[in-house]
């Protein structure tokens, strides 16, 4: 039941905000793998890898749903493809060695700052009226991929905020973020499969590297089915309502990570 509920929430978040839903998937899987007796040394990596795999069909469905509802600035997505892949590779390598508490703490700070940006809008929350040039866009792309690989998320939250800080409409930002989730989840999943192969003897049954095929099979169909409904809700909300909803979402995610640190 927890897997089904997690899949529904993941799909709604993917469609509504263009995010992968890893903030929900990872804790659900963590408890499931704990009950299954998965070793502490590889449990978090298994959660992150499986989360990225689950995000693949969900983000594809979400991106397709957003694209069918209007023209998206696809050039932004094309600009970010290569740097995001670079960031995912770097983040995936470090995820297997760095303590998870460090990244959770950093994310809490980031989530609260980004939440404040949407809940308390002001003209000061603007870095420009147009997206910057390639050097800075590449840095942003590397950071999005790096952060996503560490946390097992699609990167939509950070990508959406970056785009809105440069004057991009929230609905377009959410749609592009869903496309970013496709890139990150595909590359990240392959990376975690490869990284986990040397530890295959510690994995639960039907696992491929740091990806649980059972977790993927049970959660991904549900989340992928629900994602278009989240996109429908997003396009029915006004810009301000969508910003408030996104701000509350980030606030709740930050609070969840605080709880996990205690």
């Amino acid at each position: 039941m927890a897997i089904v509920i997690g899949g529904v929430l993941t799909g709604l978040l993917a469609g509504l905000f263009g995010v992968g839903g890893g903030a929900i998937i990872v804790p659900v899987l963590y408890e499931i793998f704990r009950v299954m007796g998965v070793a502490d040394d590889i449990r978090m990596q298994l959660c992150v890898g499986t989360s990225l795999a689950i995000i693949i069909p969900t983000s594809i469905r979400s991106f397709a749903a957003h694209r069918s509802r209007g023209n998206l600035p696809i050039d932004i997505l094309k600009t970010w493809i290569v740097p995001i892949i670079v960031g995912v590779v770097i983040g995936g390598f470090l995820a297997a060695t760095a303590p998870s508490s460090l990244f959770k703490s950093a994310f809490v700070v980031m989530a609260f700052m980004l939440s404040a940006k949407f809940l308390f809008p002001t003209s000061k929350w603007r870095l420009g009226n147009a997206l910057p040039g390639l050097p800075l866009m590449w840095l942003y792309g590397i950071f999005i991929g790096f952060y996503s690989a560490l946390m097992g998320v699609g990167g939509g939250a950070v990508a959406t905020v970056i785009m809105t800080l440069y004057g991009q409409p929230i609905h377009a930002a959410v749609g592009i973020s869903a496309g970013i989730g496709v890139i990150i989840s595909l590359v990240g999943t392959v990376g975690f499969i490869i990284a986990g192969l040397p530890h295959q003897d510690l994995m639960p049954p039907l696992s491929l590297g740091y990806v649980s095929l059972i977790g993927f099979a049970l959660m991904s169909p549900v989340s992928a089915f629900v994602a278009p409904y989240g996109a429908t809700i997003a396009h029915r909300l006004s810009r301000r309502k969508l910003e408030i909803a996104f701000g509350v979402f980030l606030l709740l995610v930050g609070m969840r990570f605080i709880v996990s640190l205690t």
Side-chain angles (χ1 to χ4, degrees), residues 9 20 26 44 76 108 111 113 176 178 190 211 220:
L9 292 175
V26 170
M44 193 64 186
I76 300 175
V108 167
M113 290 180 62
I176 291 300
V190 173
V211 174
S220 61

PDB file of all heavy atoms in Angstrom, residues 9 20 26 44 76 108 111 113 176 178 190 211 220:
ATOM      1  N   LEU A   9       1.401   9.885  -5.393  1.00  0.00           N
ATOM      2  CA  LEU A   9       1.927  11.200  -5.036  1.00  0.00           C
ATOM      3  C   LEU A   9       3.072  11.610  -5.962  1.00  0.00           C
ATOM      4  O   LEU A   9       3.181  12.775  -6.361  1.00  0.00           O
ATOM      5  CB  LEU A   9       2.405  11.194  -3.580  1.00  0.00           C
ATOM      6  CG  LEU A   9       1.310  11.053  -2.520  1.00  0.00           C
ATOM      7  CD1 LEU A   9       1.919  10.946  -1.128  1.00  0.00           C
ATOM      8  CD2 LEU A   9       0.342  12.229  -2.581  1.00  0.00           C
ATOM      9  N   GLY A  20      10.571  15.162 -10.187  1.00  0.00           N
ATOM     10  CA  GLY A  20      10.533  13.714 -10.283  1.00  0.00           C
ATOM     11  C   GLY A  20       9.792  13.023  -9.149  1.00  0.00           C
ATOM     12  O   GLY A  20       9.336  11.906  -9.284  1.00  0.00           O
ATOM     13  N   VAL A  26      12.152   8.220  -2.216  1.00  0.00           N
ATOM     14  CA  VAL A  26      13.308   7.778  -1.424  1.00  0.00           C
ATOM     15  C   VAL A  26      12.922   7.361  -0.007  1.00  0.00           C
ATOM     16  O   VAL A  26      13.294   6.264   0.439  1.00  0.00           O
ATOM     17  CB  VAL A  26      14.415   8.853  -1.422  1.00  0.00           C
ATOM     18  CG1 VAL A  26      15.503   8.499  -0.418  1.00  0.00           C
ATOM     19  CG2 VAL A  26      15.021   9.000  -2.813  1.00  0.00           C
ATOM     20  N   MET A  44      20.848   3.450   1.284  1.00  0.00           N
ATOM     21  CA  MET A  44      20.539   4.767   0.723  1.00  0.00           C
ATOM     22  C   MET A  44      20.857   4.817  -0.766  1.00  0.00           C
ATOM     23  O   MET A  44      20.095   5.385  -1.553  1.00  0.00           O
ATOM     24  CB  MET A  44      21.339   5.853   1.468  1.00  0.00           C
ATOM     25  CG  MET A  44      20.863   7.263   1.172  1.00  0.00           C
ATOM     26  SD  MET A  44      19.176   7.519   1.759  1.00  0.00           S
ATOM     27  CE  MET A  44      18.855   9.167   1.094  1.00  0.00           C
ATOM     28  N   ILE A  76      15.988  25.838 -24.257  1.00  0.00           N
ATOM     29  CA  ILE A  76      16.554  25.786 -22.909  1.00  0.00           C
ATOM     30  C   ILE A  76      16.974  24.356 -22.582  1.00  0.00           C
ATOM     31  O   ILE A  76      18.064  24.107 -22.054  1.00  0.00           O
ATOM     32  CB  ILE A  76      15.547  26.297 -21.864  1.00  0.00           C
ATOM     33  CG1 ILE A  76      15.162  27.757 -22.158  1.00  0.00           C
ATOM     34  CG2 ILE A  76      16.119  26.166 -20.452  1.00  0.00           C
ATOM     35  CD1 ILE A  76      14.085  28.287 -21.236  1.00  0.00           C
ATOM     36  N   VAL A 108      18.186  21.054   2.866  1.00  0.00           N
ATOM     37  CA  VAL A 108      17.240  21.740   3.752  1.00  0.00           C
ATOM     38  C   VAL A 108      17.369  23.250   3.583  1.00  0.00           C
ATOM     39  O   VAL A 108      16.371  23.966   3.425  1.00  0.00           O
ATOM     40  CB  VAL A 108      17.477  21.340   5.224  1.00  0.00           C
ATOM     41  CG1 VAL A 108      16.717  22.283   6.156  1.00  0.00           C
ATOM     42  CG2 VAL A 108      17.031  19.901   5.456  1.00  0.00           C
ATOM     43  N   ALA A 111      16.054  24.216   0.106  1.00  0.00           N
ATOM     44  CA  ALA A 111      14.602  24.098  -0.022  1.00  0.00           C
ATOM     45  C   ALA A 111      13.885  25.254   0.653  1.00  0.00           C
ATOM     46  O   ALA A 111      12.922  25.804   0.106  1.00  0.00           O
ATOM     47  CB  ALA A 111      14.144  22.765   0.581  1.00  0.00           C
ATOM     48  N   MET A 113      15.092  28.288   1.243  1.00  0.00           N
ATOM     49  CA  MET A 113      15.346  29.523   0.498  1.00  0.00           C
ATOM     50  C   MET A 113      14.478  29.598  -0.756  1.00  0.00           C
ATOM     51  O   MET A 113      13.888  30.649  -1.065  1.00  0.00           O
ATOM     52  CB  MET A 113      16.830  29.613   0.125  1.00  0.00           C
ATOM     53  CG  MET A 113      17.767  29.852   1.297  1.00  0.00           C
ATOM     54  SD  MET A 113      19.502  29.946   0.789  1.00  0.00           S
ATOM     55  CE  MET A 113      19.453  31.367  -0.297  1.00  0.00           C
ATOM     56  N   ILE A 176       9.546  22.482 -18.922  1.00  0.00           N
ATOM     57  CA  ILE A 176      10.950  22.195 -19.246  1.00  0.00           C
ATOM     58  C   ILE A 176      11.596  21.363 -18.149  1.00  0.00           C
ATOM     59  O   ILE A 176      12.407  20.474 -18.415  1.00  0.00           O
ATOM     60  CB  ILE A 176      11.729  23.508 -19.462  1.00  0.00           C
ATOM     61  CG1 ILE A 176      11.256  24.201 -20.738  1.00  0.00           C
ATOM     62  CG2 ILE A 176      13.224  23.242 -19.541  1.00  0.00           C
ATOM     63  CD1 ILE A 176      11.449  23.380 -22.000  1.00  0.00           C
ATOM     64  N   ALA A 178      10.207  19.112 -16.402  1.00  0.00           N
ATOM     65  CA  ALA A 178       9.803  17.724 -16.607  1.00  0.00           C
ATOM     66  C   ALA A 178      10.710  17.056 -17.638  1.00  0.00           C
ATOM     67  O   ALA A 178      11.090  15.886 -17.490  1.00  0.00           O
ATOM     68  CB  ALA A 178       8.347  17.660 -17.054  1.00  0.00           C
ATOM     69  N   VAL A 190      21.477   4.534 -15.188  1.00  0.00           N
ATOM     70  CA  VAL A 190      22.594   3.764 -15.754  1.00  0.00           C
ATOM     71  C   VAL A 190      23.814   3.848 -14.838  1.00  0.00           C
ATOM     72  O   VAL A 190      24.488   2.846 -14.566  1.00  0.00           O
ATOM     73  CB  VAL A 190      22.940   4.273 -17.166  1.00  0.00           C
ATOM     74  CG1 VAL A 190      24.215   3.591 -17.678  1.00  0.00           C
ATOM     75  CG2 VAL A 190      21.784   4.015 -18.127  1.00  0.00           C
ATOM     76  N   VAL A 211      19.734  -0.615  -8.289  1.00  0.00           N
ATOM     77  CA  VAL A 211      18.343  -0.445  -8.716  1.00  0.00           C
ATOM     78  C   VAL A 211      17.561  -1.707  -8.384  1.00  0.00           C
ATOM     79  O   VAL A 211      17.903  -2.798  -8.843  1.00  0.00           O
ATOM     80  CB  VAL A 211      18.245  -0.157 -10.237  1.00  0.00           C
ATOM     81  CG1 VAL A 211      16.775  -0.133 -10.675  1.00  0.00           C
ATOM     82  CG2 VAL A 211      18.912   1.173 -10.572  1.00  0.00           C
ATOM     83  N   SER A 220       6.572   2.434 -10.560  1.00  0.00           N
ATOM     84  CA  SER A 220       6.621   3.247 -11.782  1.00  0.00           C
ATOM     85  C   SER A 220       5.330   3.238 -12.599  1.00  0.00           C
ATOM     86  O   SER A 220       4.936   4.295 -13.124  1.00  0.00           O
ATOM     87  CB  SER A 220       7.803   2.815 -12.661  1.00  0.00           C
ATOM     88  OG  SER A 220       7.682   1.469 -13.057  1.00  0.00           O
TER      89      SER A 220
END
